[in-house]
Amino acid sequence: MKTIDDISFAGKRALIRVDYNVPLNEKYEVTDTTRIDATLATVNKILKDGGSAILMSHLGRPKGGPEEKYSLKHLLPYLNELFGTEVKFAVDCIGESAVTLAAGLKPGEILLLENLRFYKEEEKGDVGFAEKLSKLGDIYVNDAFGTAHRAHASTAVIAQFFPGRKMFGYIMGNEIRNISKVMNYPRKPFTAIIGGAKVSGKIQIIRNLLDKVDNLVIGGGMMFTFIKAMGGKIGNSLVEDDFLQLARDTMEEARKKGVNLLIPVDAVIADSFSNEAQKDVTAAGEIPDGWLGLDIGSRTIAQFRDIILGSKTILWNGPMGVFEIPSFETGTREIALMVAEATQNGAFSLIGGGDSVAAINKYKLESKVSYVSTGGGAMLEYLEGIELPGIEAINR
Ligand code: AMP
């Protein structure tokens, strides 16, 4: 893996694809700076070497032309503060003015380009547009893991104009190293915990994992499609009837591959989708009509505990129940605590995907697990076994 540690940037202009797609309030102030802060190490390394940095990103979903609310100039006050220097700004990300500004950069200086998606060519992956962008820098650095699954001009196509001069920044490097540790070199036993609302969204991940894991733990709304597929009664629980056969095929495949597939044995059920609903606990396949399963039950939690604490590698994606509602958060919280405990005991744990990351944050366990991935969609596609265009373009 080629990263920015492999070279010195002295006298070079690094063209860095970052993910500055951050939330802004009505006064155009950045309300969550996490993604910007994460790029500090990469930019600092380049500046310290005696190089200069050109930052390019998208922001929001402009319709294909300039829009005030999506201008990256709104980030300048925060960037100036973070980097402790006045960051220059190119009002157009390509063209004469950008070329002049980039050419005039001195070592230690930073230039921010206007929103790449003000050109529809960005998302189309237009080669001509990518070539224009490429004129701005000497070295291409991709540090935007969140868009690595997109074959856009600035995330993948541009790399062809930097043969031997393209590499990953620290964010990308970390993500790839940690996910690859789990997917390619797991210490055994390897347990994947997959939850969330729907089977349809996770089936590719499950199938890809069947070739790698020892244990596959299923929870969340998607468990009911498996339970119904086995002939269980699931009342009014969430189900995808189109996926019943695929669920059966998956169970058969797991059996053939010797994967221990754990499907919940009991569920917390409720008579409505609310915190005030009447609650009960039943066997997962004996849910009465009019009731719906919204969390895993205590017998299931105990079974999962043995498996999770006996694991050396753990991958967790998706909550075990409707953890946003306090009445149905126990399963998710208990699993989060177990993953933290297993990590304490020496397991390597990776948490990925929006809602399991939200759960880990809710229970303040970020520092008690090995790695929390920041790339929602990109991470999911990686787990599905898809080669991400942003990674492939650098490795090629
Ligand atoms: P996903 O984005 O597919 O990972 O799904 C996350 C969502 O699944 C969360 O908002 C949970 O509230 C929801 N969820 C988890 N368990 C259930 C369940 N038993 N019934 C309905 N929704 C659920």
Side-chain angles (χ1 to χ4, degrees):
M1 181 165 64
K2 190 145 190 219
T3 77
I4 54 173
D5 277 330
D6 299 333
I7 66 157
S8 165
F9 284 84
K12 304 282 188 216
R13 294 167 306 161
L15 180 60
I16 316 172
R17 179 47 159 107
V18 289
D19 180 3
Y20 283 177
N21 184 27
V22 291
L24 301 177
N25 63 17
E26 65 289 344
K27 285 196 264 165
Y28 297 133
E29 291 158 343
V30 183
T31 55
D32 181 349
T33 61
T34 312
R35 287 179 176 165
I36 300 178
D37 299 344
T39 63
L40 190 60
T42 294
V43 174
N44 275 347
K45 142 80 182 165
I46 289 162
L47 300 187
K48 248 192 169 160
D49 278 1
S52 54
I54 301 157
L55 305 171
M56 57 176 176
S57 178
H58 75 285
L59 174 65
R61 294 180 177 274
K63 308 232 156 31
E67 280 177 63
E68 175 70 12
K69 67 174 172 180
Y70 294 129
S71 174
L72 279 165
K73 72 175 182 217
H74 303 309
L75 274 56
L76 286 169
Y78 185 70
L79 293 178
N80 290 341
E81 184 189 321
L82 180 74
F83 294 120
T85 175
E86 189 153 334
V87 173
K88 299 177 189 310
F89 185 64
V91 294
D92 189 348
C93 65
I94 53 169
E96 218 31 57
S97 62
V99 171
T100 308
L101 277 167
L105 280 180
K106 297 189 194 67
E109 289 187 332
I110 305 172
L111 169 67
L112 173 70
L113 305 182
E114 182 54 290
N115 196 340
L116 297 164
R117 288 198 192 165
F118 285 174
Y119 285 89
K120 56 184 182 338
E121 288 84 351
E122 161 64 0
E123 286 182 89
K124 284 191 174 147
D126 184 82
V127 179
F129 177 69
E131 185 171 17
K132 284 182 191 150
L133 285 172
S134 76
K135 302 282 185 226
L136 303 176
D138 306 309
I139 297 168
Y140 172 64
V141 176
N142 191 348
D143 215 13
F145 186 69
T147 49
H149 57 317
R150 306 283 181 224
H152 293 171
S154 70
T155 61
V157 180
I158 192 171
Q160 66 191 278
F161 300 105
F162 294 90
R165 293 173 292 125
K166 49 184 182 173
M167 57 204 68
F168 299 113
Y170 290 133
I171 299 173
M172 280 285 265
N174 265 337
E175 290 277 354
I176 297 169
R177 201 170 307 111
N178 283 290
I179 306 178
S180 152
K181 195 162 169 172
V182 166
M183 296 301 276
N184 303 326
Y185 313 101
R187 277 202 297 146
K188 301 274 184 169
F190 175 16
T191 298
I193 309 162
I194 306 292
K198 293 181 167 179
V199 179
S200 50
K202 303 287 166 77
I203 194 74
Q204 289 311 331
I205 296 180
I206 292 175
R207 296 213 120 164
N208 188 36
L209 286 170
L210 285 177
D211 287 323
K212 304 176 189 292
V213 299
D214 302 293
N215 307 298
L216 184 59
V217 171
I218 301 279
M222 61 188 231
M223 72 194 229
F224 298 105
T225 299
F226 283 92
I227 291 164
K228 184 168 179 182
M230 290 188 290
K233 281 184 59 211
I234 58 162
N236 292 31
S237 305
L238 197 65
V239 68
E240 287 173 284
D241 284 316
D242 298 351
F243 282 80
L244 292 172
Q245 188 52 46
L246 206 50
R248 280 183 213 109
D249 295 346
T250 304
M251 289 186 275
E252 177 59 16
E253 199 180 331
R255 201 187 54 75
K256 281 197 190 132
K257 291 184 168 159
V259 173
N260 182 20
L261 184 67
L262 286 107
I263 297 184
V265 291
D266 61 348
V268 175
I269 60 170
D271 60 357
S272 74
F273 200 98
S274 96
N275 202 34
E276 285 71 44
Q278 214 181 310
K279 286 200 320 181
D280 204 348
V281 179
T282 60
E286 290 171 24
I287 300 177
D289 287 340
W291 290 71
L292 55 165
L294 296 179
D295 197 6
I296 54 175
S298 53
R299 275 204 298 137
T300 304
I301 293 173
Q303 273 187 6
F304 287 1
R305 183 178 172 80
D306 290 339
I307 297 292
I308 291 171
L309 286 173
S311 304
K312 288 271 181 286
T313 303
I314 301 167
L315 166 70
W316 182 21
N317 170 274
M320 297 291 100
V322 184
F323 77 107
E324 300 94 332
I325 301 181
S327 289
F328 313 110
E329 71 170 328
T330 308
T332 302
R333 189 189 59 229
E334 291 302 310
I335 295 296
L337 288 166
M338 282 173 211
V339 173
E341 191 179 335
T343 311
Q344 221 90 62
N345 295 343
F348 182 84
S349 56
L350 180 124
I351 320 298
D355 275 312
S356 21
V357 175
I360 282 290
N361 292 338
K362 182 172 181 188
Y363 306 121
K364 307 212 176 339
L365 296 169
E366 309 92 313
S367 61
K368 300 218 157 72
V369 293
S370 309
Y371 192 73
V372 179
S373 171
T374 55
M379 156 88 176
L380 294 183
E381 288 198 20
Y382 197 123
L383 298 181
E384 285 176 2
I386 296 170
E387 191 166 24
L388 307 185
I391 297 179
E392 200 255 323
I394 299 276
N395 287 341
R396 193 185 308 149

Short mmCIF file of all heavy atoms in Angstrom, two decimals, residues 305 309 336-347 368:
data_model
loop_
_atom_site.label_atom_id
_atom_site.label_comp_id
_atom_site.label_asym_id
_atom_site.label_seq_id
_atom_site.Cartn_x
_atom_site.Cartn_y
_atom_site.Cartn_z
N ARG A 305 -23.10 -13.97 24.02
CA ARG A 305 -21.99 -13.60 24.92
C ARG A 305 -20.84 -14.61 24.84
O ARG A 305 -19.68 -14.24 24.69
CB ARG A 305 -22.52 -13.49 26.35
CG ARG A 305 -21.47 -13.03 27.32
CD ARG A 305 -21.98 -12.87 28.75
NE ARG A 305 -20.82 -12.61 29.57
CZ ARG A 305 -20.22 -11.45 29.68
NH1 ARG A 305 -20.71 -10.40 29.07
NH2 ARG A 305 -19.12 -11.31 30.39
N LEU A 309 -17.25 -13.40 23.41
CA LEU A 309 -16.10 -13.37 24.32
C LEU A 309 -15.06 -14.43 23.97
O LEU A 309 -13.91 -14.34 24.39
CB LEU A 309 -16.55 -13.47 25.76
CG LEU A 309 -17.18 -12.15 26.24
CD1 LEU A 309 -17.80 -12.28 27.61
CD2 LEU A 309 -16.17 -11.02 26.24
N ALA A 336 -22.70 -4.20 22.47
CA ALA A 336 -21.63 -3.19 22.44
C ALA A 336 -20.68 -3.41 23.63
O ALA A 336 -19.45 -3.38 23.47
CB ALA A 336 -22.23 -1.79 22.49
N LEU A 337 -21.24 -3.65 24.80
CA LEU A 337 -20.41 -3.87 26.00
C LEU A 337 -19.58 -5.14 25.87
O LEU A 337 -18.41 -5.18 26.27
CB LEU A 337 -21.30 -3.94 27.25
CG LEU A 337 -21.89 -2.59 27.69
CD1 LEU A 337 -23.02 -2.77 28.70
CD2 LEU A 337 -20.81 -1.67 28.26
N MET A 338 -20.17 -6.19 25.28
CA MET A 338 -19.43 -7.44 25.09
C MET A 338 -18.27 -7.26 24.13
O MET A 338 -17.18 -7.82 24.34
CB MET A 338 -20.34 -8.51 24.47
CG MET A 338 -21.29 -9.15 25.42
SD MET A 338 -22.36 -10.20 24.38
CE MET A 338 -23.85 -10.11 25.33
N VAL A 339 -18.51 -6.49 23.06
CA VAL A 339 -17.44 -6.26 22.08
C VAL A 339 -16.30 -5.51 22.78
O VAL A 339 -15.12 -5.84 22.59
CB VAL A 339 -17.96 -5.48 20.84
CG1 VAL A 339 -16.81 -5.10 19.92
CG2 VAL A 339 -19.00 -6.31 20.09
N ALA A 340 -16.66 -4.55 23.63
CA ALA A 340 -15.63 -3.81 24.37
C ALA A 340 -14.88 -4.74 25.32
O ALA A 340 -13.64 -4.69 25.42
CB ALA A 340 -16.27 -2.66 25.15
N GLU A 341 -15.61 -5.62 25.98
CA GLU A 341 -14.98 -6.55 26.93
C GLU A 341 -14.04 -7.52 26.20
O GLU A 341 -12.92 -7.77 26.64
CB GLU A 341 -16.08 -7.33 27.68
CG GLU A 341 -15.55 -8.13 28.86
CD GLU A 341 -16.68 -8.87 29.60
OE1 GLU A 341 -17.86 -8.44 29.52
OE2 GLU A 341 -16.37 -9.91 30.23
N ALA A 342 -14.51 -8.03 25.07
CA ALA A 342 -13.67 -8.95 24.29
C ALA A 342 -12.39 -8.23 23.84
O ALA A 342 -11.30 -8.81 23.81
CB ALA A 342 -14.44 -9.47 23.08
N THR A 343 -12.53 -6.95 23.49
CA THR A 343 -11.37 -6.16 23.05
C THR A 343 -10.37 -6.01 24.19
O THR A 343 -9.16 -6.17 24.00
CB THR A 343 -11.82 -4.76 22.55
OG1 THR A 343 -12.91 -4.93 21.65
CG2 THR A 343 -10.68 -4.02 21.86
N GLN A 344 -10.93 -5.74 25.37
CA GLN A 344 -10.09 -5.65 26.58
C GLN A 344 -9.29 -6.94 26.78
O GLN A 344 -8.15 -6.93 27.21
CB GLN A 344 -11.00 -5.46 27.81
CG GLN A 344 -10.47 -4.47 28.82
CD GLN A 344 -10.98 -3.08 28.50
OE1 GLN A 344 -12.18 -2.85 28.51
NE2 GLN A 344 -10.08 -2.16 28.18
N ASN A 345 -9.93 -8.07 26.44
CA ASN A 345 -9.30 -9.38 26.61
C ASN A 345 -8.36 -9.75 25.46
O ASN A 345 -7.90 -10.88 25.38
CB ASN A 345 -10.36 -10.49 26.73
CG ASN A 345 -11.20 -10.32 27.99
OD1 ASN A 345 -10.81 -9.60 28.90
ND2 ASN A 345 -12.35 -10.98 28.02
N GLY A 346 -8.18 -8.82 24.52
CA GLY A 346 -7.20 -9.07 23.47
C GLY A 346 -7.75 -9.30 22.07
O GLY A 346 -6.98 -9.52 21.13
N ALA A 347 -9.06 -9.24 21.90
CA ALA A 347 -9.61 -9.41 20.55
C ALA A 347 -9.43 -8.13 19.75
O ALA A 347 -9.31 -7.04 20.33
CB ALA A 347 -11.09 -9.78 20.63
N LYS A 368 -12.92 1.95 23.57
CA LYS A 368 -12.79 0.59 24.12
C LYS A 368 -12.88 -0.49 23.03
O LYS A 368 -12.87 -1.68 23.33
CB LYS A 368 -13.87 0.35 25.18
CG LYS A 368 -13.77 1.34 26.35
CD LYS A 368 -14.08 0.64 27.66
CE LYS A 368 -13.49 1.33 28.86
NZ LYS A 368 -14.15 2.58 29.21
#
